Amino acid sequence: MISYSVHDLADEIFGNEFEYDSGYAQFYFISGWLQNNVGQLNTKIFTEFEVVSGNFSPTGDFKQEERAIYKQMYLYEFYTKKTRQVLRGVDSSVDFVTLREGDTMITKVNKNELSKTYRGLARDAKEELDNLIDSYKIFQAAPLQVAGYDGNPTGS
């Protein structure tokens, strides 16, 4: 049985999604979020996971499907938070987009456009998250009732 740890999942997200760029995301923020938000995963996919000594428990039930959903949940939250951070700066400052003087040109990032980009990334992450959750629920669903010949193992 494979033991899945918060550290391993955080490292997977940090490496695969952010290419270990600590200027863009911090490993300890990722692992902290994963450690503290397992309840959201439980609510979305009707499970009872918890983190015990840094490992997801019950370990045997926390598999690749749950990892993918939890990873996507983190990405959605990350991009949503980035959108809010950018928008906080839009209200408090006056931005120029381009300044030109002679042959010199200075271009600054338009915070409004940057926030739209993050919002688009968050929307994409949410759509993928919803698809993963729907697929997971369908795959995990068991019939509530079986009737007729389907319910009788002898077929009579």
Side-chain angles (χ1 to χ4, degrees):
M1 180 179 325
I2 298 172
S3 177
Y4 290 115
S5 73
V6 171
H7 181 273
D8 292 341
L9 184 54
D11 188 58
E12 181 182 319
I13 292 170
F14 191 50
N16 293 339
E17 301 300 327
F18 304 113
E19 299 175 354
Y20 298 104
D21 183 358
S22 60
Y24 193 67
Q26 298 290 324
F27 175 80
Y28 59 89
F29 284 142
I30 298 169
S31 63
W33 189 93
L34 295 172
Q35 178 90 24
N36 295 319
N37 290 283
V38 72
Q40 286 186 36
L41 176 66
N42 290 332
T43 301
K44 290 188 182 301
I45 61 174
F46 309 119
T47 54
E48 296 178 1
F49 294 113
E50 61 181 340
V51 177
V52 178
S53 300
N55 291 321
F56 292 101
S57 178
T59 298
D61 294 334
F62 194 83
K63 299 178 185 133
Q64 292 298 325
E65 295 85 0
E66 291 83 3
R67 281 173 77 98
I69 291 169
Y70 206 28
K71 180 179 171 181
Q72 202 62 36
M73 284 174 59
Y74 175 79
L75 291 174
Y76 171 70
E77 291 298 324
F78 176 82
Y79 291 129
T80 302
K81 185 176 181 180
K82 282 292 198 185
T83 301
R84 286 192 308 266
Q85 289 173 343
V86 170
L87 288 175
R88 264 189 240 129
V90 169
D91 288 341
S92 63
S93 64
V94 176
D95 279 342
F96 60 88
V97 177
T98 302
L99 287 176
R100 294 177 195 225
E101 185 176 322
D103 292 339
T104 306
M105 181 175 78
I106 300 173
T107 302
K108 187 174 179 182
V109 175
N110 183 340
K111 291 181 182 179
N112 193 22
E113 290 300 316
L114 184 59
S115 70
K116 286 179 185 178
T117 301
Y118 279 125
R119 189 175 59 206
L121 290 169
R123 188 180 312 117
D124 292 346
K126 178 70 171 151
E127 285 176 15
E128 179 65 19
L129 175 61
D130 291 343
N131 289 337
L132 286 171
I133 290 171
D134 290 344
S135 296
Y136 181 85
K137 288 178 181 176
I138 289 169
F139 180 69
Q140 296 293 326
L144 299 176
Q145 163 181 327
V146 180
Y149 288 114
D150 295 337
N152 188 349
T154 61
S156 55

